[in-house]
Amino acid sequence: MRSLWFGAALAALLVAGCGEGGKKALTVGFSQIGAESAWRTAETKSIREEAAKRGVDLKFSDAQGDQEKQIAALRSFIAQRVDAIILAPKVEDGWEPVLREAQRARIPVVLVDRGVNVTDDSLYATLIASDFVDEGRRAAEWLVKKMGGKGNIVQLEGTSGSAPANDRKKGFEAVIAKRPEMKIIKSQDGDFARDKGQEVMEAFIRAEGKKIQAVYAHNDDMAIGAIQALDAAGMNPGKDVLVISIDAVRGAFEAMIAGKLNATVECNPLLGPDAFDAVEKVLRGEALPKKMVVKDSFFEQGTAAEDIKTRQY
Ligand code: GYE
């Protein structure tokens, strides 16, 4: 497939008419899932800012949480003959036909933040994302330590069918499964959103009440919603009930400083620079690794007041 993209790169150069040493701006389509979380807003901002910095003509499409709209956006980018496409895919399944259309049109696709299930990985140039299984594992290991290897946990899952929800659950549950005295007593989809996280947590509290000793949320926004539900029920989040989540957005640091969130596993959304490096490389015909793993850190309540000073999102 590299030769196809190389062909696309050549074509782009020809169209650009580089004769006078001037580079014509690249046109790149970016299909974003929506704006369900602070993480995603930060990712959008990073990609927009990086496009502006490089003089890229960015066609931005927000699918408002609807995969069908993302597919339609991709088709429209193909019809407009963009030079490349950046795709943040909502769920893992269902992309193969439209990715084939892009490939046939010789438009390379760079995946950001979430992966896809396809039978042929030449359908995308590269995936730039965190290791979600590892994030889940780290959250679980922290809880094992803090709970002394026993207790009842509830899990707020991310958007069903999405790579981060699938993998954060997998990594977490693999660690907990080795602890016979630790139990996940409830687990449900909260769609990575604050209001949904709160709603699901209210239902968990109605069903399990004081049996709940810890909350594991697949993102900070849902944890913040859950904290509101716990507060309303007089259940002391951060003290009587441990709360851990993923992303490390500013709101998580504020919740840690307030003593209500205990820890957060970082997931870096500032993918703009890497995404456009990848686009430029693939258009030059350079080979890219199929996956580029973003390095992430881990933050706890105790240092949150210091850590927040240097956070960028
Ligand atoms: O963790 C969550 C968001 O795909 C990694 O999506 C991303 C996740 C992120 O809505 O907050």
Side-chain angles (χ1 to χ4, degrees):
M1 260 331 98
R2 215 190 311 157
S3 59
L4 265 185
W5 284 329
F6 189 62
L10 269 183
L13 285 176
L14 289 175
V15 173
C18 290
E20 288 161 7
K23 275 203 291 176
K24 189 182 161 268
L26 288 177
T27 301
V28 176
F30 171 36
S31 167
Q32 178 58 292
I33 298 164
E36 75 283 357
S37 64
W39 189 99
R40 193 150 305 285
T41 313
E43 182 192 47
T44 297
K45 186 162 172 265
S46 170
I47 290 180
R48 286 194 133 150
E49 282 177 0
E50 193 62 26
K53 208 160 136 193
R54 298 188 190 208
V56 169
D57 176 12
L58 188 74
K59 310 251 175 257
F60 176 71
S61 165
D62 178 334
Q64 291 157 314
D66 182 348
Q67 182 185 22
E68 289 309 313
K69 285 198 183 132
Q70 287 202 281
I71 293 171
L74 259 47
R75 295 211 161 108
S76 139
F77 295 151
I78 296 168
Q80 292 172 66
R81 303 186 164 277
V82 296
D83 297 305
I85 291 171
I86 299 175
L87 167 65
K90 180 183 178 191
V91 290
E92 295 190 274
D93 292 338
W95 298 101
E96 191 132 351
V98 73
L99 290 179
R100 285 217 182 280
E101 291 166 33
Q103 188 174 64
R104 247 181 271 123
R106 307 188 173 200
I107 298 172
V109 176
V110 168
L111 299 177
V112 287
D113 97 69
R114 295 184 182 180
V116 296
N117 270 333
V118 284
T119 54
D120 170 4
D121 73 3
S122 79
L123 290 173
Y124 59 92
T126 188
L127 162 65
I128 305 167
S130 293
D131 181 341
F132 301 135
V133 175
D134 191 57
E135 290 172 348
R137 218 182 276 135
R138 290 164 84 185
E141 278 159 5
W142 185 91
L143 274 180
V144 167
K145 237 193 295 157
K146 293 292 161 179
M147 300 176 85
K150 56 175 169 221
N152 296 325
I153 306 163
V154 297
Q155 175 172 233
L156 290 162
E157 300 173 23
T159 304
S160 135
S162 72
N166 291 340
D167 291 351
R168 286 170 184 171
K169 185 175 158 88
K170 198 201 273 173
F172 187 83
E173 292 183 354
V175 171
I176 300 300
K178 292 195 196 119
R179 299 285 167 167
E181 291 181 89
M182 287 182 90
K183 265 218 189 118
I184 301 168
I185 55 172
K186 281 268 183 275
S187 188
Q188 206 180 301
D189 181 3
D191 212 13
F192 283 127
R194 196 179 284 213
D195 53 350
K196 197 72 195 300
Q198 180 173 354
E199 216 177 284
V200 172
M201 191 68 212
E202 284 164 358
F204 286 173
I205 293 170
R206 276 196 300 275
E208 305 289 344
K210 294 254 147 58
K211 274 195 268 171
I212 302 169
Q213 294 166 296
V215 178
Y216 163 50
H218 288 185
N219 82 343
D220 293 336
D221 287 75
M222 291 190 293
I224 291 165
I227 286 167
Q228 275 167 342
L230 289 163
D231 267 336
M235 286 176 73
N236 266 327
K239 295 181 185 72
D240 300 342
V241 180
L242 295 173
V243 185
I244 182 165
S245 51
I246 298 172
D247 277 354
V249 296
R250 184 160 298 274
F253 288 87
E254 288 161 0
M256 286 195 285
I257 292 167
K260 295 182 185 287
L261 179 72
N262 297 90
T264 182
V265 184
E266 186 185 38
C267 182
N268 192 339
L270 307 180
L271 305 179
D274 285 346
F276 286 102
D277 280 352
V279 163
E280 287 174 8
K281 278 189 188 150
V282 74
L283 289 175
R284 281 198 301 264
E286 282 177 40
L288 290 174
K290 266 290 114 132
K291 181 160 185 195
M292 303 196 228
V293 181
V294 179
K295 286 268 160 294
D296 294 315
S297 187
F298 186 94
F299 298 94
E300 287 184 85
Q301 211 179 72
T303 56
E306 261 314 298
D307 296 329
I308 197 172
K309 295 180 187 160
T310 54
R311 299 303 292 162
Q312 288 178 274
Y313 56 92

